[in-house]
Amino acid sequence: MITKRSIAVAVAAACTLGLGLTMDAAVASGGASGPAVSFKAQGNIGEVMVNPYRIAPMTAVVRNGGYTVKNAKVRVVPKADGQEIKYDVSDANVRNHGGVPLFGLYADYLNTVEVEYDRVYNGKTEHFKDRYQFYVPPVYMHSNGTDGQSHTTFDATVLKMDKAFSDRLYFVNNLVRTPPQASRFVWNNPMGGALEWSFMPENGIIDSTGTLRWYLMPDINMYDPEQPYKAGILMGFQQSSDGNLIFGYGQRYAKYDMLGREIYNRRLPMGYADYSHAIDGAENGHTFLRVSSSDHRRPDGKRVHTVRDVIIEVDENGSVVDEFLLWDILDPYRDNLVKAMDQGAVCLNIDASKAGHTMTAEELAAQDASNDFGDITGVGTGRNWAHVNSVDYDPSDDSIIISSRHQSAIVKIGRDKKVKWILASPEGWKKGWAEKVLTPVDAKGNKIKCEGSKCEGDFDWTWTQHTAWRIASKSKGDIIYVSAFDNGDARGMEQPALAEEKYTRGVVYKIDQKKMTVEQVYEVGKKEGHDFYSPVTGLAKYMDDKDSFVVYYSTPGLYTGDPKSRMTPHIAEYKWGQTEPSVLIKLQDTMGYQAWPFFVEHAFNPQAK
């Protein structure tokens, strides 16, 4: 028989069991039938929730506890000899996260965070300064199952750090090469494309001591290498004007905040495929994406996925408002550079057995008559003839600047889809394009003598370059400055006698768009020579805040002939005009793509001046 006494005993036992499962004092959870919620709060608002959106494990939120919280400030107490991170938080960010967002925590560590804020309740405003302590777990990274991966993100050594840069944070966009779970798919309707490239992500933020302070660990809802429409290489990260991250991968492009909150994550529009390398947020809220055509009929009637040769512009809703089909704008059969490139390192196609080999005109002709399509070196649509790896919108004349690696060309294209100018060697450009090639000049405006693909003095074009970006703060009217990461393969339209002669530069050009001239005004990296040579990937970017030039030498040591060789990317930052870096950080055993300064205050208080 069930009596009132037996019910009371059972309830008491259940309550005792519940409290026994949560040993921490004052940690209990009210049931669904009442308003009591009493998770342990260390301060004067709510509890701490670590990794609130599941993909940014080194972040947290101090929940508002049901109060209105305003004017929040955060300071992450550094480790001994560590870098302090502190920032203001906009009220909008507090509302977005239901509390105060915490960023810059240490992994596998009992963190201490100081939070200052105004608490508003029942018409009364009180000011508090709270101190929180909580543990953040170790870093987790996926394995690619090879001996080329020896650690988690990132094994960084600071070789040089000028005091003027000691407050820097660097966002590192690296890659985990060739995981067996990925790269299982190819397009077959129609053929070709770049679907097979699906390296795993390795993205994080390091401070000026080389310590990891944030990393992205995508969950299966965001990224799944075994699902074609959730796979792909996470590439082209930029911190947008509102402080958040924009990037793309495979068949998607996305925007997230620094705590991992999804703002949007969209499939590419149906007519396009294979995002990689480049995304650019325009001032009007539109986004430019480097993609390909998902269904293109060639002049010979063959239907193909094209490869890295389309730019689309999408609006805030994801609708395509314009497209730039580069096979109609440039010459997809200009093969001068394609024949000179090192076939061992054609960006993502990396094969040490082909190091130093080049292609002949006969091989290209035979290929073009075949059905060999896909992300392979070649000419004509359906092959990797352009390999556009950056796009930059120029609002001054409503145009785009692109970097075409396999043409070794930086090209400006107007809204009318006409080429405005070409920064490249004049070799191989047919009528209609040859007239658009810029003329090299010296500082006095005198024409520099050039023969073939080589010029007198220090002037040089870029070779298999990345990140051709307009420097807005230095540009005015028809005079614009453009930075680029000059990888340096096929320099002078040839392979050198010795591979050790190859080098990589960060370079800045001054272009007079009216006179159609170009002057080389600054270069770094040349004197470092082959030690910093990066055959693929990389970044060069001018930074207004410190009048400096950041260069990410992304793939030194990619292949050396030694099977035990390891890649050693270097982040370097130079004071403008200097050739010795003020910052030099070495990353060990990782394949680099891009790295750039990240601004925490912009991420959490973007309206601040």
Side-chain angles (χ1 to χ4, degrees):
M1 177 182 294
I2 299 176
T3 66
K4 290 182 178 180
R5 175 176 173 77
S6 64
I7 293 174
V9 170
V11 170
C15 290
T16 301
L17 177 61
L19 291 174
L21 291 174
T22 54
M23 298 298 293
D24 209 347
V27 180
S29 191
S33 60
V37 177
S38 53
F39 300 102
K40 182 178 179 181
Q42 298 184 50
N44 291 281
I45 44 177
E47 64 279 2
V48 175
M49 180 182 291
V50 178
N51 193 13
Y53 301 100
R54 302 191 300 177
I55 64 172
M58 295 169 67
T59 67
V61 170
V62 181
R63 299 190 68 189
N64 61 29
Y67 301 103
T68 297
V69 177
K70 295 184 175 183
N71 304 318
K73 300 177 185 293
V74 173
R75 176 179 178 258
V76 180
V77 178
K79 292 182 178 180
D81 300 320
Q83 179 178 331
E84 178 184 77
I85 291 179
K86 60 181 181 180
Y87 53 92
D88 294 346
V89 182
S90 68
D91 293 348
N93 259 297
V94 173
R95 290 192 294 268
N96 282 339
H97 299 293
V100 181
L102 307 183
F103 166 92
L105 307 172
Y106 292 101
D108 194 19
Y109 186 71
L110 183 63
N111 287 266
T112 300
V113 183
E114 298 171 350
V115 181
E116 186 175 352
Y117 56 90
D118 293 331
R119 190 186 77 180
V120 182
Y121 182 59
N122 282 341
K124 180 181 179 181
T125 299
E126 297 178 275
H127 187 75
F128 292 98
K129 294 182 179 180
D130 293 340
R131 187 177 176 91
Y132 298 85
Q133 286 193 313
F134 55 92
Y135 178 75
V136 171
V139 175
Y140 174 79
M141 290 297 297
H142 293 287
S143 171
N144 67 358
T146 75
D147 62 355
Q149 189 180 16
S150 60
H151 51 78
T152 58
T153 305
F154 288 99
D155 185 4
T157 302
V158 179
L159 303 177
K160 192 174 183 180
M161 181 59 62
D162 187 296
K163 187 177 180 180
F165 297 86
S166 60
D167 60 344
R168 273 288 193 236
L169 297 171
Y170 294 97
F171 190 101
V172 182
N173 176 193
N174 279 6
L175 316 173
V176 178
R177 288 182 58 193
T178 323
Q181 296 95 325
S183 305
R184 290 177 157 186
F185 307 100
V186 295
W187 296 118
N188 63 8
N189 183 23
M191 66 187 101
L195 181 64
E196 65 194 278
W197 296 111
S198 188
F199 297 172
M200 282 185 172
E202 188 178 44
N203 305 295
I205 294 174
I206 59 175
D207 65 21
S208 62
T209 73
T211 302
L212 185 72
R213 306 300 295 270
W214 180 93
Y215 77 103
L216 181 66
M217 188 178 73
D219 65 6
I220 201 166
N221 293 317
M222 172 186 175
Y223 167 82
D224 183 354
E226 297 191 44
Q227 300 295 328
Y229 287 98
K230 286 189 176 180
I233 307 175
L234 276 68
M235 302 180 85
F237 285 83
Q238 290 191 17
Q239 190 173 14
S240 60
S241 58
D242 56 12
N244 299 307
L245 292 177
I246 57 172
F247 58 97
Y249 56 107
Q251 315 316 313
R252 312 192 74 82
Y253 68 104
K255 186 175 187 177
Y256 286 75
D257 72 18
M258 297 312 299
L259 265 66
R261 180 179 68 94
E262 178 185 316
I263 299 169
Y264 61 74
N265 188 322
R266 301 168 177 155
R267 266 186 61 175
L268 293 177
M270 189 68 74
Y272 309 94
D274 301 341
Y275 165 90
S276 69
H277 292 80
I279 184 171
D280 186 50
E283 288 76 1
N284 64 356
H286 290 191
T287 303
F288 289 83
L289 302 164
R290 206 300 332 277
V291 293
S292 69
S293 171
S294 64
D295 193 351
H296 171 68
R297 190 177 293 274
R298 289 162 43 99
D300 58 12
K302 296 175 181 177
R303 289 174 63 186
V304 296
H305 271 78
T306 69
V307 180
R308 310 186 195 281
D309 55 6
V310 176
I311 309 296
I312 59 171
E313 179 184 2
V314 298
D315 65 15
E316 299 91 331
N317 299 317
S319 298
V320 181
V321 297
D322 207 351
E323 65 178 3
F324 296 76
L325 308 177
L326 295 180
W327 58 82
D328 286 336
I329 299 171
L330 298 173
D331 178 6
Y333 284 93
R334 178 178 179 259
D335 62 4
N336 301 67
L337 195 281
V338 171
K339 290 186 295 185
M341 288 192 307
D342 187 338
Q343 294 301 304
V346 184
C347 208
L348 297 175
N349 289 286
I350 298 165
D351 184 352
S353 68
K354 296 181 180 179
H357 295 187
T358 57
M359 293 190 75
T360 65
E362 291 76 18
E363 288 171 329
L364 287 172
Q367 180 192 71
D368 198 44
S370 73
N371 286 328
D372 293 337
F373 295 104
D375 197 359
I376 56 176
T377 312
V379 295
T381 51
R383 303 183 185 91
N384 200 348
W385 66 274
H387 196 105
V388 174
N389 53 39
S390 76
V391 57
D392 189 26
Y393 177 69
D394 183 351
S396 68
D397 61 359
D398 193 26
S399 62
I400 60 172
I401 297 171
I402 66 165
S403 162
S404 173
R405 182 185 193 268
H406 292 181
Q407 298 295 315
S408 278
I410 299 169
V411 184
K412 190 170 196 181
I413 304 168
R415 181 65 70 179
D416 59 1
K417 312 305 184 300
K418 303 295 183 183
V419 172
K420 289 179 175 286
W421 50 255
I422 299 171
L423 175 51
S425 165
E427 284 194 65
W429 296 101
K430 297 177 181 177
K431 185 178 180 181
W433 295 286
E435 300 85 347
K436 303 295 184 179
V437 176
L438 297 172
T439 299
V441 296
D442 62 21
K444 296 181 179 180
N446 299 316
K447 184 177 178 180
I448 294 174
K449 182 180 179 181
C450 299
E451 292 184 359
S453 291
K454 297 180 181 179
C455 296
E456 291 182 346
D458 292 329
F459 181 89
D460 199 359
W461 291 281
T462 57
W463 301 96
T464 61
Q465 76 291 319
H466 287 71
T467 61
W469 291 330
R470 174 179 177 264
I471 303 176
S473 61
K474 291 185 178 293
S475 302
K476 186 176 181 180
D478 286 319
I479 306 298
I480 71 168
Y481 287 74
V482 174
S483 63
F485 184 78
D486 175 9
N487 293 78
D489 184 39
R491 190 176 299 282
M493 212 70 83
E494 62 184 13
Q495 289 294 313
L498 299 174
E500 290 74 18
E501 297 176 26
K502 295 183 179 182
Y503 60 88
T504 292
R505 304 183 301 159
V507 61
V508 177
Y509 297 100
K510 178 182 177 182
I511 298 172
D512 188 322
Q513 299 180 111
K514 184 174 291 185
K515 295 181 179 178
M516 293 292 285
T517 61
V518 57
E519 175 192 352
Q520 180 180 300
V521 297
Y522 183 39
E523 69 172 5
V524 296
K526 186 175 181 179
K527 65 181 182 59
E528 281 82 2
H530 196 69
D531 287 345
F532 282 14
Y533 172 62
S534 299
V536 300
T537 71
L539 171 146
K541 184 176 185 179
Y542 175 75
M543 302 304 304
D544 289 298
D545 67 318
K546 295 186 185 291
D547 189 27
S548 62
F549 194 45
V550 174
V551 181
Y552 187 37
Y553 301 95
S554 53
T555 49
L558 175 60
Y559 55 69
T560 63
D562 180 356
K564 296 182 179 180
S565 65
R566 295 288 190 265
M567 278 181 279
T568 55
H570 286 73
I571 300 171
E573 189 160 4
Y574 304 79
K575 293 179 180 176
W576 179 256
Q578 297 187 9
T579 57
E580 286 291 333
S582 296
V583 174
L584 190 61
I585 303 174
K586 176 183 177 181
L587 305 178
Q588 189 70 34
D589 291 354
T590 179
M591 183 173 182
Y593 180 63
Q594 293 183 351
W596 39 268
F598 173 82
F599 298 99
V600 63
E601 64 277 12
H602 190 49
F604 295 102
N605 194 26
Q607 287 76 35
K609 298 295 183 181

